[in-house]
Amino acid sequence: MFKLLKELKGFVKHQDISTDSMVFRMHNHFTTALLATCSLIITANQFVGNPISCIVPSALPIQPINTYCWITSTFTMPDAFNRQIGVEVAHPGVANDFGDVEARKYYTYYQWVCFVLFFQAMACYLPHWLWGIWEGGLIKTLVMGLNNSLDTEESVTKKKNVIMDYLISHIRTHNMYAYRYFACEAICLLNILVQLYAMNKFFDGEFLTYGLRVINLPDTPQEERVDPMVYIFPRVTKCIFHKYGSSGSIQKHDSLCLLPLNIVNEKTYIFIWFWYLILTTLLVGLMLYRAAIIFAPALRPKILQMSSRLLELETCQSITKKIDLGDWWVLYVLSSNMDSLIYRELLQELTKKMSEHMSPVSS
């Protein structure tokens, strides 16, 4: 498992050439590594050690009943969470059902948590994989080592000329490049929203308000207080095991079962709840920012200037008038992958060449 965890470091390491935003990487790399790590930890706890331990009469075999209760799921009584522990009930949610089967709340999710987290991780990695195919290494090809200023002046000049020749010969052909990237960012937001909905269904409608209830728990009156962590991830549950007696009659054995794995589950999902809340907020803000870039062309020169502190606003305004959104986006991405001085010279020379070869376009 430690070898697998070491492999996950590759998802969050620094990349020399970056073609995406920080929020995009937070979704694709950090969240993927986070969910995969949680899946590995829960898997280790689930299959190494005892994920369930049931209290059974001495006449019954312990291991078969533990296995039976694990694979068939256990249950609690929801109305017993409000009762006084040690006086009315033995543990939160553990009480006699008096034959009322409909009043039981079964917990069937815990066998599936490690698998669900793994598929969530793969879903978070999907936009990165898709963008890698669509991007095709364009920015890396254009940069050609100009992300540092150690090249000779002659070499830098040749590389700048290659970039300018490419941009001029392929002017107004990069719109699909930009829109595909924006689509990948939109897929990130859609993925998070779908996962939130799926997790809420997975936990019987309890997940969306999970974090809020944990935060508000200290402010809840003691007599009304129900720990949401214990309610969704109970530590002690009940399990009913039936077997034949010596005369062939069916015997019912009611067992208390400890679920130590839920201690890990409750902490995992409270962190995921807060992280998804932060990520959703950032992605919604990112979508609004992208909409401003698309529908408010007047903002593009200022954004381009902000991407490199050495650029003059007049240069940015001049070149933005001559190119489409896709070309502007390529220049914007190049600004974060090239040495600032080289990038400023590139844009200044590119603006002059474009003035000689083409007329401005209407945005």
Side-chain angles (χ1 to χ4, degrees):
M1 188 184 77
F2 290 108
K3 289 184 178 179
L4 290 174
L5 290 175
K6 288 181 179 178
E7 292 296 326
L8 293 174
K9 292 194 301 182
F11 284 93
V12 293
K13 69 178 183 181
H14 174 72
Q15 297 178 344
D16 292 333
I17 302 298
S18 174
T19 61
D20 47 22
S21 67
M22 178 62 72
V23 178
F24 192 70
R25 290 193 294 274
M26 289 169 67
H27 174 277
N28 298 333
H29 298 283
F30 180 78
T31 307
T32 298
L34 169 67
L35 294 172
T37 300
C38 291
S39 177
L40 287 173
I41 292 173
I42 291 174
T43 301
N45 281 276
Q46 180 169 321
F47 295 107
V48 179
N50 294 318
I52 188 170
S53 181
C54 296
I55 302 173
V56 298
S58 57
L60 296 175
I62 296 177
Q63 190 57 40
I65 293 181
N66 284 343
T67 304
Y68 170 82
C69 293
W70 175 256
I71 63 177
T72 59
S73 74
T74 58
F75 66 90
T76 61
M77 303 297 293
D79 63 336
F81 282 97
N82 293 310
R83 300 179 189 176
Q84 189 174 358
I85 301 171
V87 178
E88 300 175 279
V89 295
H91 301 279
V94 177
N96 196 328
D97 57 17
F98 298 104
D100 187 4
V101 178
E102 298 296 325
R104 299 173 184 172
K105 177 179 174 61
Y106 281 90
Y107 297 86
T108 58
Y109 63 82
Y110 46 73
Q111 303 99 325
W112 300 98
V113 166
C114 59
F115 303 105
V116 170
L117 287 171
F118 174 77
F119 286 117
Q120 285 182 255
M122 293 301 98
C124 287
Y125 189 73
L126 176 63
H128 171 75
W129 175 80
L130 192 60
W131 175 236
I133 294 175
W134 282 343
E135 203 274 335
L138 174 63
I139 299 301
K140 184 177 182 179
T141 302
L142 290 177
V143 170
M144 296 181 294
L146 293 178
N147 50 344
N148 60 71
S149 55
L150 298 179
D151 272 351
T152 62
E153 185 176 349
E154 181 181 358
S155 175
V156 170
T157 301
K158 287 182 179 179
K159 292 177 180 180
K160 285 192 299 182
N161 289 331
V162 171
I163 296 175
M164 287 188 287
D165 290 341
Y166 169 83
L167 293 174
I168 292 175
S169 61
H170 292 81
I171 196 71
R172 303 169 191 169
T173 63
H174 296 102
N175 282 349
M176 189 57 68
Y177 179 89
Y179 285 125
R180 281 177 173 175
Y181 174 71
F182 297 158
C184 287
E185 289 186 332
I187 291 172
C188 292
L189 177 59
L190 179 63
N191 172 60
I192 292 298
L193 295 177
V194 170
Q195 286 198 27
L196 286 171
Y197 173 79
M199 282 190 287
N200 195 53
K201 296 289 289 184
F202 186 55
F203 292 114
D204 296 326
E206 302 287 347
F207 184 75
L208 289 182
T209 58
Y210 180 44
L212 289 175
R213 283 183 289 166
V214 171
I215 294 173
N216 294 328
L217 183 63
D219 299 328
T220 306
Q222 187 64 39
E223 60 275 8
E224 301 175 8
R225 184 175 297 182
V226 177
D227 190 341
M229 290 187 177
V230 176
Y231 185 78
I232 302 176
F233 304 100
R235 291 86 180 265
V236 182
T237 56
K238 294 185 68 176
C239 176
I240 295 177
F241 179 77
H242 295 91
K243 66 181 289 289
Y244 285 104
S246 56
S247 63
S249 60
I250 296 178
Q251 297 178 345
K252 174 182 175 181
H253 298 278
D254 195 347
S255 303
L256 284 180
C257 295
L258 302 177
L259 297 173
L261 188 62
N262 273 349
I263 296 293
V264 180
N265 287 335
E266 67 181 25
K267 306 301 189 301
T268 298
Y269 277 97
I270 192 62
F271 185 83
I272 289 175
W273 189 91
F274 282 107
W275 175 246
Y276 272 44
L277 177 64
I278 294 170
L279 200 55
T280 302
T281 303
L282 292 174
L283 285 169
V284 169
L286 184 62
M287 289 298 98
L288 295 175
Y289 178 55
R290 297 302 183 223
I293 290 175
I294 295 171
F295 299 109
L299 294 176
R300 296 174 197 168
K302 187 62 178 176
I303 295 172
L304 192 60
Q305 184 196 25
M306 292 171 61
S307 67
S308 179
R309 64 184 185 277
L310 300 178
L311 285 175
E312 297 177 354
L313 183 59
E314 292 76 12
T315 302
C316 298
Q317 289 173 335
S318 176
I319 196 168
T320 302
K321 291 177 182 179
K322 300 177 177 65
I323 57 178
D324 282 342
L325 172 62
D327 307 309
W328 177 89
W329 181 253
V330 170
L331 290 176
Y332 176 77
V333 176
L334 283 174
S335 69
S336 60
N337 290 284
M338 293 178 62
D339 179 78
S340 299
L341 288 172
I342 298 175
Y343 181 73
R344 183 185 65 176
E345 294 171 2
L346 171 70
L347 226 60
Q348 290 172 344
E349 294 175 23
L350 183 63
T351 304
K352 294 177 182 178
K353 282 195 175 185
M354 284 187 172
S355 299
E356 298 170 359
H357 287 82
M358 62 195 64
S359 59
V361 297
S362 56
S363 298

